[in-house]
Amino acid sequence: MNTPAKLGAYALGLAVVFGATFGVGTAVGGVGTPPAPKGHTAHGDSGGVPTASGQATPADTAAIPGGLQVSQNGYTLTPLTTTVEPGKNTDFRFAVTGPDGKPVTGYQVQHEKKLHFILVSRDLAHFQHLHPAEAGDGVWSVPLTLPAAGAYRMFADFAPEGGSGMTLGADLYAAGDYAPKALPGVSRTATVDGYTVTLDGDLVPGRASRITLKVSKDGKPVTDLQPYLGAYGHLVALRGGDLAYLHVHPDGEPGDGTTQPGPEIVFYAEAPSRGDYRLFLDFQHDGTVRTADFTLHADGAAAAGEHGGHEESGSGSAGHGGHGGHGH
Ligand SMILES: [Cu+2]
């Protein structure tokens, strides 16, 4: 090999190494770009102001999973309440400060709300999806009870006026002794208040995949789910280990002429990597919103979990043996 060729190979080697390193931080875009999302977060853009959300996001926002940062693109989640006693209802307050350092007061409406607030225990055993009220001057207020002592994570899912949707995350603590629970094993069936919700589909590292949730009560499919915040269901998915907040968007919405009010609710979810994930589905029936929770494992061999069509596909979930039971 002559010298120029060696230099060329060396340069190529550098490019490959650089590319691989870069890829660590941009795994979502690197493996296979998902279909153009209708929204960037669990709450997407449907129902929002038809300006910015749903349009292209800066590369950095697309590359890093949501919820891992307290500050992104100049926007910072700023808790104003510093102590929360376990088991006691607290007027929890926070603000989002903008690039100018001032609290943001202008938000786009996404799924009927300007801001969606998710609270989980860091062991992912506890989940709440709340909607804070504006207390003025950019301060948000929400009655909050942390059920027990422990470490928690709060997420603010919003799109500032003139900006793209984002999810910021911050830690929160309730003082006292606590025993974290192990992440529940893979579980595709959840029961809540007499409802059974089954999950079909798999999370696939690096690209969006279809997740179908089917709701039944007393053994009968529920076909009269009620719209809740502009959808028949809201799905939040979080990665075990760091609580990365996944991009999830519903397939269709009430009133679009094709989306039925159950028993199936279809989502597209994008897992940024292999690993275990917890999924929380909010759905409304008979005037009450309930949450069903699941655990999925995303691995490289999961592509078979992408089912086509709307038919019920039987046992799509084989191959995840060894785990049983469900969350709590
Ligand atoms: Cu919400």
Side-chain angles (χ1 to χ4, degrees):
M1 194 180 274
N2 62 29
T3 303
K6 277 183 192 163
L7 282 175
Y10 180 61
L12 182 64
L14 279 183
V16 168
V17 169
F18 175 78
T21 308
F22 185 65
V24 170
T26 58
V28 171
V31 178
T33 306
K38 292 180 213 161
H40 300 114
T41 68
H43 295 94
D45 63 347
S46 47
V49 177
T51 51
S53 81
Q55 302 301 315
T57 25
D60 56 347
T61 6
I64 301 171
L68 295 177
Q69 303 182 95
V70 75
S71 185
Q72 179 181 321
N73 297 347
Y75 293 90
T76 303
L77 178 55
T78 310
L80 302 173
T81 305
T82 50
T83 56
V84 178
E85 279 184 54
K88 194 178 157 196
N89 192 263
T90 304
D91 174 23
F92 185 78
R93 292 181 171 233
F94 63 96
V96 176
T97 57
D100 60 1
K102 294 180 184 145
V104 175
T105 55
Y107 291 87
Q108 300 176 44
V109 172
Q110 300 186 107
H111 281 255
E112 302 181 3
K113 298 288 179 183
K114 292 181 178 176
L115 186 143
H116 299 263
F117 182 89
I118 307 295
L119 180 103
V120 295
S121 54
R122 286 220 66 125
D123 63 5
L124 292 174
H126 179 78
F127 172 89
Q128 295 181 51
H129 179 165
L130 304 171
H131 298 103
E134 293 177 273
D137 301 324
V139 173
W140 292 96
S141 160
V142 62
L144 181 67
T145 303
L146 302 181
Y152 293 82
R153 184 80 171 167
M154 57 179 275
F155 300 98
D157 183 341
F158 64 93
E161 241 167 40
S164 329
M166 68 181 79
T167 303
L168 301 179
D171 287 338
L172 196 59
Y173 304 93
D177 292 338
Y178 74 102
K181 294 187 177 73
L183 201 75
V186 169
S187 161
R188 293 165 173 275
T189 303
T191 53
V192 51
D193 286 353
Y195 293 83
T196 300
V197 185
T198 54
L199 185 155
D200 189 36
D202 281 297
L203 288 173
V204 182
R207 63 189 163 89
S209 62
R210 180 186 171 96
I211 301 286
T212 302
L213 294 138
K214 189 171 182 180
V215 183
S216 63
K217 189 182 188 196
D218 302 326
K220 287 182 205 144
V222 173
T223 55
D224 57 347
L225 290 173
Q226 295 165 329
Y228 171 56
L229 303 171
Y232 287 122
H234 291 268
L235 185 65
V236 169
L238 299 164
R239 180 167 61 186
D242 65 0
L243 312 190
Y245 188 97
L246 272 59
H247 300 179
V248 177
H249 52 270
D251 184 38
E253 59 187 48
D256 65 6
T258 55
T259 303
Q260 300 298 315
E264 294 186 350
I265 316 169
V266 178
F267 296 90
Y268 284 89
E270 183 184 326
S273 68
R274 288 180 166 81
D276 291 322
Y277 294 83
R278 288 279 283 156
L279 292 83
F280 301 92
L281 172 75
D282 288 329
F283 64 98
Q284 180 168 306
H285 189 241
D286 280 346
T288 303
V289 177
R290 297 176 177 85
T291 303
D293 61 282
F294 308 87
T295 304
L296 288 183
H297 181 74
D299 63 41
E306 288 196 297
H307 307 292
H310 282 76
E311 78 286 352
E312 186 56 10
S313 68
S315 73
S317 58
H320 293 288
H323 298 289
H326 82 80
H328 38 191

